[in-house]
């Protein structure tokens, strides 16, 4: 599903995939701070239908999509893309990027936004080396994962190091100069929030309020999710 801001613009478009089980303020600040720090036209948030790298989500794709929509309501720069949820196949990022490339053309800069944990795991992703030819990659710090260092983004595996060695950028202008291929770090407000923490709190009967939007929490309560 293409939406207005992404179709109109010609500048870099951010892409934030995730299970969003449920979406929380860590995801929303990640999208918002990436948009500002990297001068992105908009950020498309793409809930995974069947995430290939982890256990099945606890809530249905429709519930995760509904919660994501509630979370971004009122922010025209954050869009929800339901194509992975609607697809019957596994949600491989490389396939989603190929589809977006075909949809948006060869010249539009695409910026895949990853938290530090997701970046660390990149070499386990399906056809991961091809991601660099399809999009730039922006890496945000995340509490509990490799912090900023002299060589940021901190690269822990030799194969990821080899793939990223000549791709580092620090100036967001580099994202406008090409459609894909750079790896750029950026700082976001450190938020030690995770969806698993929220699910655990709910399961234990504790309150996750203020870790996620009230509208999402109301939806969770209404539909008795994560109990
Ligand atoms: P779970 O706890 O179920 O593993 P999660 O909170 O990590 O979920 P995901 O949907 O798996 O959420 O994450 C989607 C993307 O958002 C990933 O790139 C992840 O690194 C990033 N992300 C999630 N939470 C944060 C956070 N608090 N700070 C920075 N990045 C985050």
């Amino acid at each position: 599903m293409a939406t207005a801001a992404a179709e109109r613009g010609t500048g870099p478009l951010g892409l934030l995939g995730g299970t969003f089980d449920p979406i929380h303020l860590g995801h929303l600040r990640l999208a918002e701070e990436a948009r500002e720090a990297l001068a992105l036209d908009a950020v498309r948030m793409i809930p995974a239908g069947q995430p290939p790298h982890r256990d099945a989500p606890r809530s249905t794709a429709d519930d995760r999509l509904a919660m994501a929509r509630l979370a971004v309501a009122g922010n025209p720069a954050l869009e929800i893309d339901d194509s992975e949820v609607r697809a019957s196949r596994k949600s491989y990022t490389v396939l989603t990027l190929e589809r977006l490339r075909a949809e948006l053309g060869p010249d539009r800069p695409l910026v895949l936004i990853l938290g530090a944990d997701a970046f660390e795991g990149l070499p386990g992703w399906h056809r991961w080396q091809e991601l660099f030819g399809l999009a730039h990659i922006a890496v945000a710090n995340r509490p509990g994962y490799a912090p900023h260092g002299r060589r940021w983004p901190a690269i822990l595996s030799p194969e990821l190091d080899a793939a990223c060695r000549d791709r580092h950028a620090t100036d967001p202008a580099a994202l406008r100069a090409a459609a894909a291929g750079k790896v750029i770090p950026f700082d976001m407000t450190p938020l030690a929030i995770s969806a698993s923490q929220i699910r655990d709190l709910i399961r234990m009967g504790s309150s996750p309020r203020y870790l996620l939007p009230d509208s999402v929490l109301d939806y969770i309560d209404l539909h008795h999710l994560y109990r």
Side-chain angles (χ1 to χ4, degrees):
M1 184 197 68
T3 43
E7 281 181 340
R8 272 198 313 271
T10 54
L13 175 65
L15 308 170
L16 174 55
T19 314
F20 303 128
D21 190 22
I23 193 164
H24 55 67
L25 297 187
H27 298 128
L28 293 165
R29 284 305 300 177
L30 175 61
E32 186 76 351
E33 296 196 29
R35 188 182 63 74
E36 289 202 310
L38 307 175
L40 307 176
D41 279 358
V43 176
R44 237 187 229 204
M45 304 179 72
I46 313 173
Q50 307 169 45
H53 305 291
R54 49 185 293 155
D55 296 341
R58 293 293 309 279
S59 57
T60 65
D62 284 338
D63 281 333
R64 291 182 291 107
L65 193 59
M67 291 188 279
R69 290 208 165 107
L70 286 170
V72 306
N75 185 346
L78 300 187
E79 310 169 346
I80 302 299
D81 183 324
D82 66 1
S83 55
E84 287 194 3
V85 162
R86 299 283 158 239
S88 51
R89 55 170 166 74
K90 286 194 173 177
S91 298
Y92 290 116
T93 300
V94 68
L95 301 181
T96 298
L97 290 182
E98 284 176 343
R99 177 181 59 75
L100 289 171
R101 252 300 147 235
E103 181 189 319
L104 298 167
D107 301 328
R108 183 79 186 269
L110 298 178
V111 183
L112 182 64
I113 301 165
L114 301 176
D117 57 314
F119 181 65
E120 273 178 30
L122 207 62
W125 291 20
H126 183 52
R127 294 166 51 198
W128 69 278
Q129 309 245 17
E130 293 173 51
L131 299 174
F132 301 99
L134 290 161
H136 301 296
I137 296 181
V139 188
N141 53 298
R142 183 171 187 182
Y145 296 89
H148 282 104
R150 227 165 15 91
R151 287 184 70 232
W152 174 259
I155 294 180
L156 305 179
S157 85
E159 50 187 342
L160 189 55
D161 183 45
C164 295
R165 193 170 298 140
D166 299 324
R167 301 186 180 279
H168 286 180
T170 50
D171 184 350
L175 304 180
R176 293 182 170 264
K182 294 294 179 193
V183 175
I184 188 166
F186 71 99
D187 269 321
M188 68 172 277
T189 307
L191 292 169
I193 302 174
S194 68
S196 33
Q197 170 202 15
I198 291 170
R199 295 194 301 272
D200 288 347
L201 286 171
I202 295 171
R203 198 175 53 247
M204 294 181 311
S206 302
S207 167
R209 191 171 292 283
Y210 310 129
L211 297 174
L212 70 177
D214 284 347
S215 56
V216 176
L217 185 53
D218 289 346
Y219 185 98
I220 289 171
D221 286 343
L222 187 66
H223 295 270
H224 309 290
L225 303 183
Y226 309 118
R227 307 239 157 182

